[in-house]
Amino acid sequence: MKSAPYLLSLPALLLFAAIVIVPLGMTVALSFHDWGQYKGIEPVFILKNWREVFTDSYYAEMFGRTFRIALLVTLFSAVFGAPEAYILNRMKSPWRGIFLLVILGPLLISVVARTLGWALLFGGNAGLVNKALTGLGLIDAPLPFMFTETGMVVAMVHVLMPYMVLSVWAALQRLDPQVENAAIALGAGPLTVMRRIVLPQAMPGILSGAVIVFALAASAFATPAIIGGRRLKVASTLAYDEFLNTLNWPLGAVVAVLLLVALVIIMVGANRLVERRYGQVFR
């Protein structure tokens, strides 16, 4: 039967529609409703919420901070994660398996637990980070990490770096170590080998990992909520506050929809860039 594949995939499609498409459609519809402190939500079609988000500089600041932090997290994840993946790729058994377990181990722990650990490390004068820096004589006064973008970036880099490492490591699996040895035998220096051989092979993995890390960082909630608190909001915590604190669900829906649309546009554009420029590497 020609229709057999469609019938077999129908339950999965219905489940996907029920748990993803329908809620998203309801959120978009909710964003056009009216809300008042005493009248609650009114199912009328208005553009007041969208107009408020686009005209108020407060929301522009929230989205700007969200994508700025996500960009910094992606950059630092690539800077530290790509060399780590290269070293992992050059390791031999059993060290490769041991260090791969070390990299994947944090993914087995709740994001909330890991972020609370960073909150303890950052915690003001009593934080272990400031105590260590002060004890080493590197700083005279404690550095502010809690409720700052710096603390949020550090914590999210730790949380999301495994995704970058795995993406780059998967791309480097196609790199034959003998190619590097041949280049060195022909007189190429270490920097030339990295620039002309390793980096082109790793770049598809770096870009793919950057897409994953950026999307997860921009939509993260637990880490910004704990490290940033109510003083330093991002789009996800702003939507949470609108839904559960002020109870302005339509305005929170606008923030959530705009964040989703922005991430989809960025991810689709980045994926097309990866496929267009580095598609031949995967063939």
Side-chain angles (χ1 to χ4, degrees), residues 66-67 69-71 73-74 77 107 111 114 152 155-167 208-224 234-237 259 262-264 266-267:
T66 299
F67 293 117
I69 291 175
L71 185 61
V73 171
T74 304
S77 296
L107 296 179
V111 176
R114 282 184 282 168
M152 293 171 63
M156 281 200 284
V157 167
H158 170 257
V159 170
L160 299 177
M161 189 184 294
Y163 298 100
M164 177 65 72
V165 174
L166 292 178
S167 297
S208 299
V211 172
I212 298 172
V213 172
F214 184 89
L216 293 176
S219 60
F221 172 76
T223 303
V234 294
S236 58
T237 56
L259 178 61
L263 288 178
V264 168
I266 293 172
M267 292 180 64

Side-chain angles (χ1 to χ4, degrees), residues 145-178:
F145 287 108
M146 289 297 294
F147 314 118
T148 63
E149 292 187 16
T150 302
M152 293 171 63
V153 169
V154 172
M156 281 200 284
V157 167
H158 170 257
V159 170
L160 299 177
M161 189 184 294
Y163 298 100
M164 177 65 72
V165 174
L166 292 178
S167 297
V168 178
W169 182 53
L172 290 176
Q173 294 298 302
R174 297 176 176 271
L175 178 61
D176 188 354
Q178 296 303 322

Side-chain angles (χ1 to χ4, degrees), residues 12 44 209 224:
V44 295

Side-chain angles (χ1 to χ4, degrees), residues 5-253:
Y6 300 99
L7 293 176
L8 291 174
S9 61
L10 184 60
L13 293 175
L14 292 176
L15 180 62
F16 176 78
I19 65 177
V20 178
I21 301 300
V22 173
L24 286 178
M26 295 174 64
T27 303
V28 173
L30 179 63
S31 66
F32 293 101
H33 289 178
D34 193 13
W35 177 85
Q37 186 174 359
Y38 300 103
K39 64 183 179 181
I41 300 174
E42 291 187 341
V44 295
F45 184 87
I46 60 170
L47 297 175
K48 182 184 71 173
N49 302 310
W50 291 86
R51 191 181 302 112
E52 179 178 353
V53 171
F54 280 109
T55 56
D56 194 336
S57 60
Y58 171 76
Y59 298 99
E61 180 184 357
M62 294 300 104
F63 279 98
R65 179 182 297 132
T66 299
F67 293 117
R68 180 171 62 251
I69 291 175
L71 185 61
L72 289 173
V73 171
T74 304
L75 178 62
F76 284 113
S77 296
V79 169
F80 294 105
E84 188 174 345
Y86 176 73
I87 295 172
L88 180 66
N89 186 61
R90 296 299 298 265
M91 285 182 174
K92 304 297 183 181
S93 299
W95 295 108
R96 178 184 295 178
I98 295 173
F99 279 90
L100 183 61
L101 181 61
V102 171
I103 293 171
L104 296 179
L107 296 179
L108 304 177
I109 305 173
S110 169
V111 176
V112 176
R114 282 184 282 168
T115 305
L116 287 174
W118 278 107
L120 294 175
L121 292 174
F122 288 155
N125 298 336
L128 294 180
V129 173
N130 279 318
K131 281 186 175 180
L133 294 177
T134 305
L136 294 173
L138 299 177
I139 58 174
D140 296 326
L143 297 176
F145 287 108
M146 289 297 294
F147 314 118
T148 63
E149 292 187 16
T150 302
M152 293 171 63
V153 169
V154 172
M156 281 200 284
V157 167
H158 170 257
V159 170
L160 299 177
M161 189 184 294
Y163 298 100
M164 177 65 72
V165 174
L166 292 178
S167 297
V168 178
W169 182 53
L172 290 176
Q173 294 298 302
R174 297 176 176 271
L175 178 61
D176 188 354
Q178 296 303 322
V179 177
E180 298 178 59
N181 297 333
I184 294 174
L186 292 174
L191 293 179
T192 302
V193 173
M194 294 297 297
R195 181 174 58 87
R196 300 290 298 273
I197 297 176
V198 177
L199 187 58
Q201 294 289 330
M203 189 57 66
I206 294 174
L207 293 178
S208 299
V211 172
I212 298 172
V213 172
F214 184 89
L216 293 176
S219 60
F221 172 76
T223 303
I226 296 173
I227 303 298
R230 299 185 63 86
R231 302 182 191 177
L232 203 66
K233 292 183 181 180
V234 294
S236 58
T237 56
L238 176 62
Y240 175 87
D241 285 341
E242 295 294 341
F243 271 102
L244 296 182
N245 291 333
T246 63
L247 301 181
N248 190 347
W249 289 21
L251 188 58

